[in-house]
Amino acid sequence: MLVWFLLTAVSVLFVLWDSISNAVTSWVQRLAWVLVTLYAGPVGAFLYLLTCRRPFPGGHDLYTAPTWKQAVNSEMRCLAGDATGIIIAASIVPILALANGWDMLIEYSAGFFVGLFVFQALMMAGMYGGRYFLAVRKTFFAETVSMNMVMAGMIPMMLILSHLWPGSESPANPEFWFRMSLATLAGGLLAYPINYWLVARHLKHGCMTLPGADGPAPHLGHRGHEAANALPAESRDRHSMPGMSMASHDQMQMGHIGSLPAIGIAVGTFAILFGAIWLVSQWVPLSFA
């Protein structure tokens, strides 16, 4: 745990510094990466380097264009919001001395609230003319299915580790924070496929470069999206690359899913969540008494 905490401290300092000195994304995206690195330690920093960090001026759109990188960036906002709400709730529920079943429900509710109303809706409000509650409505489906998968990974890990490590329920103990780090990693791993699917179908957006934030680097053969937008439409089409439409506010267009498919997918994620909880409950007693 000591090695993990030391690596986490170094990772957070690096991501925080780079988010200030080298960032071309929104403050919500930057905050998400800092928080995920705080919870996921060097794994978070590695993913930040691999999928979000600007490699050179003018190269951010191209670097983050692949769908798998867009999916990682999209998931980071969900994971940051969900994990933050869950960790805050998990820090408080020991005071209430409730059964672990109620703890689980409170943690789920807190994670959903922070994930939807802060990291998803705030990030998307600008794409809906600054209408915050419209952004809440538009992001509700994506946040629900992503949150369910995050929790399907986090809840079993939290329950199992709390059962194995007496005292890890208290935030005053280092075991609590290590347990939450492992749970965050499990949730992030399990939630990636659904986030990839959402981003690939433009039901969630990935990593968008702020207009004017990333200067061009013509000597390396790349142009900033400001210069690309100045070209005629047919020229922009020729220079566009797969996934680039998700890297710019101007080019981003959200997709649509019908009510019945959305309900079916949401029910499926709830079934996975409940199934994971049921499986763990066969080993770790789960009570609401």
PDB file of all heavy atoms in Angstrom, residues 255-286:
ATOM      1  N   GLY A 255     -25.612  11.159 -31.541  1.00  0.00           N
ATOM      2  CA  GLY A 255     -26.501  10.210 -32.177  1.00  0.00           C
ATOM      3  C   GLY A 255     -27.810  10.067 -31.417  1.00  0.00           C
ATOM      4  O   GLY A 255     -28.077  10.790 -30.453  1.00  0.00           O
ATOM      5  N   HIS A 256     -28.626   9.128 -31.852  1.00  0.00           N
ATOM      6  CA  HIS A 256     -29.940   8.919 -31.232  1.00  0.00           C
ATOM      7  C   HIS A 256     -30.213   7.424 -31.167  1.00  0.00           C
ATOM      8  O   HIS A 256     -29.816   6.665 -32.049  1.00  0.00           O
ATOM      9  CB  HIS A 256     -31.026   9.616 -32.050  1.00  0.00           C
ATOM     10  CG  HIS A 256     -32.413   9.352 -31.553  1.00  0.00           C
ATOM     11  ND1 HIS A 256     -32.903   9.927 -30.392  1.00  0.00           N
ATOM     12  CD2 HIS A 256     -33.404   8.556 -32.048  1.00  0.00           C
ATOM     13  CE1 HIS A 256     -34.144   9.498 -30.195  1.00  0.00           C
ATOM     14  NE2 HIS A 256     -34.464   8.681 -31.176  1.00  0.00           N
ATOM     15  N   ILE A 257     -30.907   7.034 -30.118  1.00  0.00           N
ATOM     16  CA  ILE A 257     -31.319   5.641 -29.963  1.00  0.00           C
ATOM     17  C   ILE A 257     -32.801   5.630 -29.612  1.00  0.00           C
ATOM     18  O   ILE A 257     -33.291   6.488 -28.863  1.00  0.00           O
ATOM     19  CB  ILE A 257     -30.489   4.926 -28.867  1.00  0.00           C
ATOM     20  CG1 ILE A 257     -30.851   3.447 -28.807  1.00  0.00           C
ATOM     21  CG2 ILE A 257     -30.660   5.591 -27.507  1.00  0.00           C
ATOM     22  CD1 ILE A 257     -29.943   2.643 -27.891  1.00  0.00           C
ATOM     23  N   GLY A 258     -33.529   4.683 -30.180  1.00  0.00           N
ATOM     24  CA  GLY A 258     -34.957   4.590 -29.924  1.00  0.00           C
ATOM     25  C   GLY A 258     -35.275   4.213 -28.492  1.00  0.00           C
ATOM     26  O   GLY A 258     -34.422   3.688 -27.760  1.00  0.00           O
ATOM     27  N   SER A 259     -36.504   4.469 -28.086  1.00  0.00           N
ATOM     28  CA  SER A 259     -36.909   4.228 -26.698  1.00  0.00           C
ATOM     29  C   SER A 259     -36.824   2.752 -26.329  1.00  0.00           C
ATOM     30  O   SER A 259     -36.303   2.406 -25.263  1.00  0.00           O
ATOM     31  CB  SER A 259     -38.343   4.732 -26.472  1.00  0.00           C
ATOM     32  OG  SER A 259     -38.427   6.124 -26.680  1.00  0.00           O
ATOM     33  N   LEU A 260     -37.323   1.884 -27.199  1.00  0.00           N
ATOM     34  CA  LEU A 260     -37.318   0.452 -26.877  1.00  0.00           C
ATOM     35  C   LEU A 260     -35.896  -0.115 -26.773  1.00  0.00           C
ATOM     36  O   LEU A 260     -35.582  -0.820 -25.806  1.00  0.00           O
ATOM     37  CB  LEU A 260     -38.139  -0.322 -27.901  1.00  0.00           C
ATOM     38  CG  LEU A 260     -39.666  -0.127 -27.807  1.00  0.00           C
ATOM     39  CD1 LEU A 260     -40.366  -0.927 -28.896  1.00  0.00           C
ATOM     40  CD2 LEU A 260     -40.173  -0.543 -26.428  1.00  0.00           C
ATOM     41  N   PRO A 261     -34.997   0.177 -27.738  1.00  0.00           N
ATOM     42  CA  PRO A 261     -33.620  -0.297 -27.567  1.00  0.00           C
ATOM     43  C   PRO A 261     -32.954   0.276 -26.324  1.00  0.00           C
ATOM     44  O   PRO A 261     -32.206  -0.433 -25.634  1.00  0.00           O
ATOM     45  CB  PRO A 261     -32.920   0.178 -28.843  1.00  0.00           C
ATOM     46  CG  PRO A 261     -34.015   0.329 -29.843  1.00  0.00           C
ATOM     47  CD  PRO A 261     -35.204   0.778 -29.066  1.00  0.00           C
ATOM     48  N   ALA A 262     -33.227   1.548 -26.020  1.00  0.00           N
ATOM     49  CA  ALA A 262     -32.626   2.168 -24.841  1.00  0.00           C
ATOM     50  C   ALA A 262     -33.094   1.471 -23.562  1.00  0.00           C
ATOM     51  O   ALA A 262     -32.294   1.194 -22.664  1.00  0.00           O
ATOM     52  CB  ALA A 262     -32.973   3.660 -24.789  1.00  0.00           C
ATOM     53  N   ILE A 263     -34.385   1.190 -23.498  1.00  0.00           N
ATOM     54  CA  ILE A 263     -34.924   0.496 -22.324  1.00  0.00           C
ATOM     55  C   ILE A 263     -34.317  -0.894 -22.207  1.00  0.00           C
ATOM     56  O   ILE A 263     -33.934  -1.337 -21.121  1.00  0.00           O
ATOM     57  CB  ILE A 263     -36.470   0.418 -22.399  1.00  0.00           C
ATOM     58  CG1 ILE A 263     -37.073   1.822 -22.267  1.00  0.00           C
ATOM     59  CG2 ILE A 263     -37.018  -0.513 -21.319  1.00  0.00           C
ATOM     60  CD1 ILE A 263     -38.566   1.860 -22.501  1.00  0.00           C
ATOM     61  N   GLY A 264     -34.210  -1.589 -23.336  1.00  0.00           N
ATOM     62  CA  GLY A 264     -33.636  -2.930 -23.313  1.00  0.00           C
ATOM     63  C   GLY A 264     -32.196  -2.936 -22.833  1.00  0.00           C
ATOM     64  O   GLY A 264     -31.799  -3.783 -22.028  1.00  0.00           O
ATOM     65  N   ILE A 265     -31.402  -1.988 -23.314  1.00  0.00           N
ATOM     66  CA  ILE A 265     -29.992  -1.915 -22.901  1.00  0.00           C
ATOM     67  C   ILE A 265     -29.890  -1.542 -21.431  1.00  0.00           C
ATOM     68  O   ILE A 265     -29.077  -2.098 -20.685  1.00  0.00           O
ATOM     69  CB  ILE A 265     -29.233  -0.911 -23.781  1.00  0.00           C
ATOM     70  CG1 ILE A 265     -29.170  -1.429 -25.225  1.00  0.00           C
ATOM     71  CG2 ILE A 265     -27.823  -0.672 -23.249  1.00  0.00           C
ATOM     72  CD1 ILE A 265     -28.692  -0.408 -26.221  1.00  0.00           C
ATOM     73  N   ALA A 266     -30.713  -0.585 -20.990  1.00  0.00           N
ATOM     74  CA  ALA A 266     -30.695  -0.182 -19.586  1.00  0.00           C
ATOM     75  C   ALA A 266     -31.070  -1.359 -18.678  1.00  0.00           C
ATOM     76  O   ALA A 266     -30.423  -1.602 -17.651  1.00  0.00           O
ATOM     77  CB  ALA A 266     -31.652   0.988 -19.358  1.00  0.00           C
ATOM     78  N   VAL A 267     -32.114  -2.094 -19.058  1.00  0.00           N
ATOM     79  CA  VAL A 267     -32.520  -3.264 -18.276  1.00  0.00           C
ATOM     80  C   VAL A 267     -31.396  -4.294 -18.243  1.00  0.00           C
ATOM     81  O   VAL A 267     -31.128  -4.926 -17.207  1.00  0.00           O
ATOM     82  CB  VAL A 267     -33.809  -3.880 -18.860  1.00  0.00           C
ATOM     83  CG1 VAL A 267     -34.100  -5.240 -18.224  1.00  0.00           C
ATOM     84  CG2 VAL A 267     -34.994  -2.941 -18.649  1.00  0.00           C
ATOM     85  N   GLY A 268     -30.709  -4.458 -19.362  1.00  0.00           N
ATOM     86  CA  GLY A 268     -29.593  -5.399 -19.406  1.00  0.00           C
ATOM     87  C   GLY A 268     -28.471  -5.019 -18.449  1.00  0.00           C
ATOM     88  O   GLY A 268     -27.896  -5.896 -17.774  1.00  0.00           O
ATOM     89  N   THR A 269     -28.156  -3.722 -18.363  1.00  0.00           N
ATOM     90  CA  THR A 269     -27.099  -3.295 -17.437  1.00  0.00           C
ATOM     91  C   THR A 269     -27.545  -3.453 -15.984  1.00  0.00           C
ATOM     92  O   THR A 269     -26.731  -3.798 -15.120  1.00  0.00           O
ATOM     93  CB  THR A 269     -26.679  -1.843 -17.698  1.00  0.00           C
ATOM     94  OG1 THR A 269     -27.797  -0.955 -17.514  1.00  0.00           O
ATOM     95  CG2 THR A 269     -26.136  -1.681 -19.113  1.00  0.00           C
ATOM     96  N   PHE A 270     -28.832  -3.214 -15.717  1.00  0.00           N
ATOM     97  CA  PHE A 270     -29.331  -3.454 -14.364  1.00  0.00           C
ATOM     98  C   PHE A 270     -29.245  -4.941 -14.021  1.00  0.00           C
ATOM     99  O   PHE A 270     -28.919  -5.306 -12.885  1.00  0.00           O
ATOM    100  CB  PHE A 270     -30.773  -2.970 -14.224  1.00  0.00           C
ATOM    101  CG  PHE A 270     -30.899  -1.516 -13.880  1.00  0.00           C
ATOM    102  CD1 PHE A 270     -31.387  -0.608 -14.813  1.00  0.00           C
ATOM    103  CD2 PHE A 270     -30.531  -1.044 -12.625  1.00  0.00           C
ATOM    104  CE1 PHE A 270     -31.508   0.740 -14.507  1.00  0.00           C
ATOM    105  CE2 PHE A 270     -30.641   0.297 -12.306  1.00  0.00           C
ATOM    106  CZ  PHE A 270     -31.133   1.195 -13.255  1.00  0.00           C
ATOM    107  N   ALA A 271     -29.533  -5.792 -15.004  1.00  0.00           N
ATOM    108  CA  ALA A 271     -29.454  -7.231 -14.768  1.00  0.00           C
ATOM    109  C   ALA A 271     -28.022  -7.660 -14.455  1.00  0.00           C
ATOM    110  O   ALA A 271     -27.790  -8.489 -13.561  1.00  0.00           O
ATOM    111  CB  ALA A 271     -29.977  -7.986 -15.995  1.00  0.00           C
ATOM    112  N   ILE A 272     -27.058  -7.082 -15.154  1.00  0.00           N
ATOM    113  CA  ILE A 272     -25.653  -7.390 -14.877  1.00  0.00           C
ATOM    114  C   ILE A 272     -25.275  -6.916 -13.477  1.00  0.00           C
ATOM    115  O   ILE A 272     -24.595  -7.625 -12.719  1.00  0.00           O
ATOM    116  CB  ILE A 272     -24.744  -6.738 -15.937  1.00  0.00           C
ATOM    117  CG1 ILE A 272     -24.979  -7.396 -17.298  1.00  0.00           C
ATOM    118  CG2 ILE A 272     -23.274  -6.850 -15.535  1.00  0.00           C
ATOM    119  CD1 ILE A 272     -24.260  -6.711 -18.441  1.00  0.00           C
ATOM    120  N   LEU A 273     -25.728  -5.718 -13.116  1.00  0.00           N
ATOM    121  CA  LEU A 273     -25.442  -5.171 -11.788  1.00  0.00           C
ATOM    122  C   LEU A 273     -26.030  -6.050 -10.689  1.00  0.00           C
ATOM    123  O   LEU A 273     -25.339  -6.440  -9.739  1.00  0.00           O
ATOM    124  CB  LEU A 273     -25.990  -3.747 -11.682  1.00  0.00           C
ATOM    125  CG  LEU A 273     -25.954  -3.077 -10.297  1.00  0.00           C
ATOM    126  CD1 LEU A 273     -24.520  -2.974  -9.789  1.00  0.00           C
ATOM    127  CD2 LEU A 273     -26.614  -1.709 -10.353  1.00  0.00           C
ATOM    128  N   PHE A 274     -27.330  -6.383 -10.828  1.00  0.00           N
ATOM    129  CA  PHE A 274     -27.979  -7.211  -9.814  1.00  0.00           C
ATOM    130  C   PHE A 274     -27.373  -8.614  -9.775  1.00  0.00           C
ATOM    131  O   PHE A 274     -27.234  -9.218  -8.699  1.00  0.00           O
ATOM    132  CB  PHE A 274     -29.481  -7.299 -10.090  1.00  0.00           C
ATOM    133  CG  PHE A 274     -30.201  -5.994  -9.924  1.00  0.00           C
ATOM    134  CD1 PHE A 274     -31.324  -5.702 -10.683  1.00  0.00           C
ATOM    135  CD2 PHE A 274     -29.744  -5.051  -9.010  1.00  0.00           C
ATOM    136  CE1 PHE A 274     -31.990  -4.494 -10.535  1.00  0.00           C
ATOM    137  CE2 PHE A 274     -30.403  -3.833  -8.854  1.00  0.00           C
ATOM    138  CZ  PHE A 274     -31.523  -3.558  -9.624  1.00  0.00           C
ATOM    139  N   GLY A 275     -26.998  -9.132 -10.943  1.00  0.00           N
ATOM    140  CA  GLY A 275     -26.368 -10.442 -10.976  1.00  0.00           C
ATOM    141  C   GLY A 275     -25.035 -10.449 -10.263  1.00  0.00           C
ATOM    142  O   GLY A 275     -24.710 -11.397  -9.525  1.00  0.00           O
ATOM    143  N   ALA A 276     -24.245  -9.375 -10.448  1.00  0.00           N
ATOM    144  CA  ALA A 276     -22.952  -9.285  -9.766  1.00  0.00           C
ATOM    145  C   ALA A 276     -23.138  -9.199  -8.258  1.00  0.00           C
ATOM    146  O   ALA A 276     -22.412  -9.845  -7.486  1.00  0.00           O
ATOM    147  CB  ALA A 276     -22.180  -8.065 -10.283  1.00  0.00           C
ATOM    148  N   ILE A 277     -24.137  -8.418  -7.840  1.00  0.00           N
ATOM    149  CA  ILE A 277     -24.398  -8.290  -6.404  1.00  0.00           C
ATOM    150  C   ILE A 277     -24.871  -9.623  -5.826  1.00  0.00           C
ATOM    151  O   ILE A 277     -24.454 -10.030  -4.729  1.00  0.00           O
ATOM    152  CB  ILE A 277     -25.444  -7.180  -6.155  1.00  0.00           C
ATOM    153  CG1 ILE A 277     -24.884  -5.823  -6.560  1.00  0.00           C
ATOM    154  CG2 ILE A 277     -25.869  -7.167  -4.688  1.00  0.00           C
ATOM    155  CD1 ILE A 277     -25.904  -4.709  -6.525  1.00  0.00           C
ATOM    156  N   TRP A 278     -25.732 -10.317  -6.563  1.00  0.00           N
ATOM    157  CA  TRP A 278     -26.236 -11.608  -6.079  1.00  0.00           C
ATOM    158  C   TRP A 278     -25.106 -12.614  -5.929  1.00  0.00           C
ATOM    159  O   TRP A 278     -25.039 -13.348  -4.942  1.00  0.00           O
ATOM    160  CB  TRP A 278     -27.304 -12.143  -7.029  1.00  0.00           C
ATOM    161  CG  TRP A 278     -27.835 -13.484  -6.592  1.00  0.00           C
ATOM    162  CD1 TRP A 278     -28.808 -13.731  -5.671  1.00  0.00           C
ATOM    163  CD2 TRP A 278     -27.387 -14.761  -7.059  1.00  0.00           C
ATOM    164  NE1 TRP A 278     -29.007 -15.078  -5.521  1.00  0.00           N
ATOM    165  CE2 TRP A 278     -28.138 -15.733  -6.365  1.00  0.00           C
ATOM    166  CE3 TRP A 278     -26.446 -15.172  -7.983  1.00  0.00           C
ATOM    167  CZ2 TRP A 278     -27.974 -17.098  -6.577  1.00  0.00           C
ATOM    168  CZ3 TRP A 278     -26.268 -16.530  -8.198  1.00  0.00           C
ATOM    169  CH2 TRP A 278     -27.019 -17.473  -7.504  1.00  0.00           C
ATOM    170  N   LEU A 279     -24.212 -12.667  -6.909  1.00  0.00           N
ATOM    171  CA  LEU A 279     -23.098 -13.603  -6.839  1.00  0.00           C
ATOM    172  C   LEU A 279     -22.225 -13.329  -5.614  1.00  0.00           C
ATOM    173  O   LEU A 279     -21.834 -14.247  -4.891  1.00  0.00           O
ATOM    174  CB  LEU A 279     -22.251 -13.515  -8.114  1.00  0.00           C
ATOM    175  CG  LEU A 279     -22.838 -14.156  -9.372  1.00  0.00           C
ATOM    176  CD1 LEU A 279     -21.958 -13.869 -10.577  1.00  0.00           C
ATOM    177  CD2 LEU A 279     -23.005 -15.662  -9.181  1.00  0.00           C
ATOM    178  N   VAL A 280     -21.934 -12.056  -5.363  1.00  0.00           N
ATOM    179  CA  VAL A 280     -21.100 -11.712  -4.212  1.00  0.00           C
ATOM    180  C   VAL A 280     -21.825 -12.026  -2.914  1.00  0.00           C
ATOM    181  O   VAL A 280     -21.210 -12.446  -1.922  1.00  0.00           O
ATOM    182  CB  VAL A 280     -20.695 -10.229  -4.282  1.00  0.00           C
ATOM    183  CG1 VAL A 280     -19.980  -9.795  -2.996  1.00  0.00           C
ATOM    184  CG2 VAL A 280     -19.785  -9.983  -5.475  1.00  0.00           C
ATOM    185  N   SER A 281     -23.152 -11.826  -2.907  1.00  0.00           N
ATOM    186  CA  SER A 281     -23.911 -12.074  -1.682  1.00  0.00           C
ATOM    187  C   SER A 281     -23.904 -13.546  -1.270  1.00  0.00           C
ATOM    188  O   SER A 281     -24.221 -13.873  -0.118  1.00  0.00           O
ATOM    189  CB  SER A 281     -25.366 -11.586  -1.853  1.00  0.00           C
ATOM    190  OG  SER A 281     -26.065 -12.423  -2.762  1.00  0.00           O
ATOM    191  N   GLN A 282     -23.551 -14.454  -2.208  1.00  0.00           N
ATOM    192  CA  GLN A 282     -23.448 -15.854  -1.853  1.00  0.00           C
ATOM    193  C   GLN A 282     -22.224 -16.130  -0.970  1.00  0.00           C
ATOM    194  O   GLN A 282     -22.161 -17.162  -0.304  1.00  0.00           O
ATOM    195  CB  GLN A 282     -23.369 -16.708  -3.118  1.00  0.00           C
ATOM    196  CG  GLN A 282     -24.502 -16.498  -4.095  1.00  0.00           C
ATOM    197  CD  GLN A 282     -25.860 -16.705  -3.458  1.00  0.00           C
ATOM    198  OE1 GLN A 282     -26.178 -17.772  -2.949  1.00  0.00           O
ATOM    199  NE2 GLN A 282     -26.679 -15.670  -3.449  1.00  0.00           N
ATOM    200  N   TRP A 283     -21.292 -15.202  -0.984  1.00  0.00           N
ATOM    201  CA  TRP A 283     -20.076 -15.347  -0.195  1.00  0.00           C
ATOM    202  C   TRP A 283     -20.015 -14.331   0.933  1.00  0.00           C
ATOM    203  O   TRP A 283     -19.701 -14.651   2.073  1.00  0.00           O
ATOM    204  CB  TRP A 283     -18.851 -15.189  -1.108  1.00  0.00           C
ATOM    205  CG  TRP A 283     -17.536 -15.349  -0.400  1.00  0.00           C
ATOM    206  CD1 TRP A 283     -17.262 -16.174   0.648  1.00  0.00           C
ATOM    207  CD2 TRP A 283     -16.322 -14.665  -0.690  1.00  0.00           C
ATOM    208  NE1 TRP A 283     -15.948 -16.059   1.036  1.00  0.00           N
ATOM    209  CE2 TRP A 283     -15.353 -15.129   0.206  1.00  0.00           C
ATOM    210  CE3 TRP A 283     -15.955 -13.706  -1.643  1.00  0.00           C
ATOM    211  CZ2 TRP A 283     -14.043 -14.653   0.208  1.00  0.00           C
ATOM    212  CZ3 TRP A 283     -14.655 -13.261  -1.654  1.00  0.00           C
ATOM    213  CH2 TRP A 283     -13.714 -13.722  -0.748  1.00  0.00           C
ATOM    214  N   VAL A 284     -20.386 -13.088   0.606  1.00  0.00           N
ATOM    215  CA  VAL A 284     -20.368 -12.011   1.602  1.00  0.00           C
ATOM    216  C   VAL A 284     -21.810 -11.702   1.977  1.00  0.00           C
ATOM    217  O   VAL A 284     -22.597 -11.288   1.121  1.00  0.00           O
ATOM    218  CB  VAL A 284     -19.695 -10.750   1.044  1.00  0.00           C
ATOM    219  CG1 VAL A 284     -19.702  -9.636   2.094  1.00  0.00           C
ATOM    220  CG2 VAL A 284     -18.275 -11.049   0.588  1.00  0.00           C
ATOM    221  N   PRO A 285     -22.218 -11.894   3.233  1.00  0.00           N
ATOM    222  CA  PRO A 285     -23.589 -11.630   3.643  1.00  0.00           C
ATOM    223  C   PRO A 285     -23.997 -10.187   3.351  1.00  0.00           C
ATOM    224  O   PRO A 285     -23.258  -9.231   3.645  1.00  0.00           O
ATOM    225  CB  PRO A 285     -23.571 -11.893   5.148  1.00  0.00           C
ATOM    226  CG  PRO A 285     -22.393 -12.803   5.363  1.00  0.00           C
ATOM    227  CD  PRO A 285     -21.380 -12.387   4.350  1.00  0.00           C
ATOM    228  N   LEU A 286     -25.160 -10.029   2.723  1.00  0.00           N
ATOM    229  CA  LEU A 286     -25.698  -8.716   2.387  1.00  0.00           C
ATOM    230  C   LEU A 286     -27.028  -8.545   3.118  1.00  0.00           C
ATOM    231  O   LEU A 286     -27.944  -9.341   2.946  1.00  0.00           O
ATOM    232  CB  LEU A 286     -25.906  -8.605   0.876  1.00  0.00           C
ATOM    233  CG  LEU A 286     -26.219  -7.228   0.297  1.00  0.00           C
ATOM    234  CD1 LEU A 286     -25.069  -6.264   0.550  1.00  0.00           C
ATOM    235  CD2 LEU A 286     -26.498  -7.337  -1.197  1.00  0.00           C
TER     236      LEU A 286
END
